[in-house]
Amino acid sequence: MSKLTPEQLERYKRHLFLEEIGPIGQRKLLDARVLLIGVGGLGSPASLYLAATGVGTLGLVDFDAVDASNLQRQILYTTADVGRPKVEAAAERLRALNPDVTVEFHSTKLDASNAMEWVGGYDIVLDGTDTFPSRYLTNDVCVWQKVPLVYGSVMRFEGQVSVFDARIGPCYRCLFPEPPPPELAPNCAEAGVLGVLPGVIGLMQATEVIKLIVGQGEPLVGRLLTYDALSMETRTFKLGRDPDCAVCGDGPSITEPIDYEAFCSASGASGPSEISEIDPHNLQQRLAADEPPLLIDVREPFEAELAKIAGARLIPLGTLESALADLAAWKNRPVIVHCQTGGRSRKACEILVAHGFNAVVNLRGGIEAWQAEVDSGIPKK
């Protein structure tokens, strides 16, 4: 391990004072290779601080150009960058920030043809994507290449952070087994996001990357941190490895990269099916009846811990098909399904209808609509 130069001793002085980092840790940072998939809202703050910290090689993958609508949160860019490829503008900024950093970039989309090669060349991957096809592909390849994945996501006023390392804990698919159809999965462009939120989550991701590199602290492996900007609250949930996971489980069924863009498009090619819907007020009336319907919550357990409708039966979407036998008595009786905003529950309704359930209804707007229209006492997610 080579010694730090006089210029590096001056630049990283504040790190050298920290016993947990010191000269050895700083050298580890300079020798590290980190791949950022997406240099938008999350990748912008993360890359700036990783470069400032002295991570020696940053790889950037993004096929997009800078748009004026990006500037509200993507702090890597200026008004003068509008129209430029993001990776080119980002590389220029990061090199100017710290000449110690080598920036490698690919102005193209991560896909099944290139993911294995690109991910395999780095020590850690930071997920800055905002689409499910990219997120699932990134996860799967990181599992196969044995590379830790630092996950982050943002939507509206809320964010999540975790570290997925299938060598010692769960992967992203253990939490969310399958991507939803594209028409049921809004991104930030469709749902909106508070401008500062990606900064908070992106810096949490950068912190996890640094901890992994220097070997200090407790990375968020097997834990999911959620952040609510409106209440300024964080919560942490334990995550377990799923032995039946299609990628990291004991008998994986997916063993090579999938073109998820095509996969998701094909799965939703026929468009949303005709599923009946109910609004929160009508659901409230039906739940109060002498013979209420079965109410199924298809969110994940950690979501139900945050907020739930009294009496709902929790069956996460990824486990619904395995639970069908237990629901057989309800095939000809009313079943109402809900999730957070109505997307996953619609998919669940389609599964139930396909298996012969004859009176299935989706809660329009999910628990968020219920909270807004019926019971404001339920904590927001």
Side-chain angles (χ1 to χ4, degrees):
M1 183 176 292
S2 60
K3 293 183 178 180
L4 300 176
T5 66
E7 293 78 12
Q8 290 171 335
L9 290 171
E10 179 63 26
R11 177 181 286 268
Y12 307 117
K13 183 186 298 183
R14 299 300 186 273
H15 272 175
L16 306 184
F17 289 145
L18 298 173
E19 181 181 349
E20 293 81 357
I21 298 181
I24 293 177
Q26 187 60 54
R27 189 67 256 175
K28 289 180 180 179
L29 290 166
L30 288 163
D31 291 339
R33 295 176 56 83
V34 176
L35 179 66
L36 293 93
I37 301 179
V39 281
L42 296 172
S44 286
S47 63
L48 282 168
Y49 269 90
L50 291 175
T53 295
V55 173
T57 301
L58 294 177
L60 312 177
V61 178
D62 201 309
F63 66 94
D64 208 357
V66 180
D67 185 83
S69 66
N70 302 148
L71 303 180
Q72 164 249 17
R73 65 200 177 281
Q74 299 183 18
I75 59 173
L76 259 179
Y77 313 111
T78 69
T79 303
D81 292 320
V82 171
R84 296 183 65 190
K86 283 186 178 178
V87 289
E88 292 184 10
E92 183 178 291
R93 177 86 182 275
L94 297 173
R95 289 166 179 158
L97 175 62
N98 189 350
D100 284 342
V101 178
T102 299
V103 182
E104 304 170 344
F105 63 83
H106 304 278
S107 186
T108 187
K109 184 178 294 187
L110 187 83
D111 60 30
S113 69
N114 55 39
M116 289 291 284
E117 177 184 357
W118 290 352
V119 169
Y122 292 86
D123 306 315
I124 299 169
V125 172
L126 186 146
D127 178 9
T129 63
D130 66 353
T131 67
F132 283 101
S134 296
R135 188 167 294 158
Y136 278 83
L137 176 61
T138 300
N139 171 79
D140 297 353
V141 173
C142 284
V143 171
W144 300 321
Q145 294 287 31
K146 298 179 172 58
V147 174
L149 173 63
V150 179
Y151 159 76
S153 69
V154 292
M155 187 71 69
R156 294 176 57 77
F157 300 97
E158 301 166 359
Q160 300 177 350
V161 186
S162 188
V163 176
F164 296 113
D165 187 344
R167 297 171 298 181
I168 55 176
C171 77
Y172 179 76
R173 278 183 180 272
C174 294
L175 182 60
F176 300 113
E178 293 184 353
E183 71 273 5
L184 303 183
N187 57 27
C188 291
E190 299 165 327
V193 62
L194 180 68
V196 298
L197 179 63
V200 176
I201 300 302
L203 293 186
M204 288 184 181
Q205 289 180 274
T207 303
E208 291 301 301
V209 169
I210 293 167
K211 288 159 56 180
L212 291 171
I213 293 171
V214 301
Q216 294 291 336
E218 298 182 16
L220 285 169
V221 176
R223 295 182 293 154
L224 177 75
L225 183 149
T226 66
Y227 170 76
D228 185 329
L230 292 182
S231 64
M232 199 56 74
E233 292 181 344
T234 62
R235 297 186 67 178
T236 304
F237 301 88
K238 290 185 178 181
L239 306 177
R241 176 180 174 271
D242 180 4
D244 296 322
C245 176
V247 173
C248 77
D250 298 336
S253 58
I254 299 175
T255 57
E256 59 184 21
I258 295 174
D259 182 354
Y260 280 110
E261 293 283 359
F263 176 81
C264 291
S265 296
S267 65
S270 60
S273 62
E274 291 297 326
I275 298 295
S276 298
E277 292 193 326
I278 188 172
D279 64 56
H281 290 291
N282 284 327
L283 172 61
Q284 182 184 34
Q285 294 173 2
R286 294 191 62 179
L287 291 176
D290 292 338
E291 295 185 7
L294 171 64
L295 179 61
I296 298 176
D297 179 353
V298 295
R299 298 174 301 156
E300 297 300 315
F302 76 89
E303 295 176 287
E305 285 188 43
L306 288 169
K308 59 185 176 183
I309 300 175
R313 179 172 175 178
L314 181 64
I315 307 177
L317 179 58
T319 67
L320 180 59
E321 295 201 38
S322 63
L324 291 174
D326 294 334
L327 301 174
W330 290 89
K331 277 199 169 184
N332 295 304
R333 299 165 65 189
V335 176
I336 298 176
V337 189
H338 88 81
C339 63
Q340 192 67 26
T341 59
R344 280 173 286 172
S345 54
R346 172 174 283 276
K347 176 65 175 177
C349 288
E350 293 174 352
I351 292 172
L352 291 170
V353 169
H355 284 84
F357 287 75
N358 298 313
V360 179
V361 179
N362 184 40
L363 174 60
R364 184 185 305 121
I367 195 172
E368 291 191 4
W370 176 271
Q371 190 275 342
E373 300 177 28
V374 173
D375 188 355
S376 60
I378 294 180
K380 292 184 178 180
K381 178 184 170 192

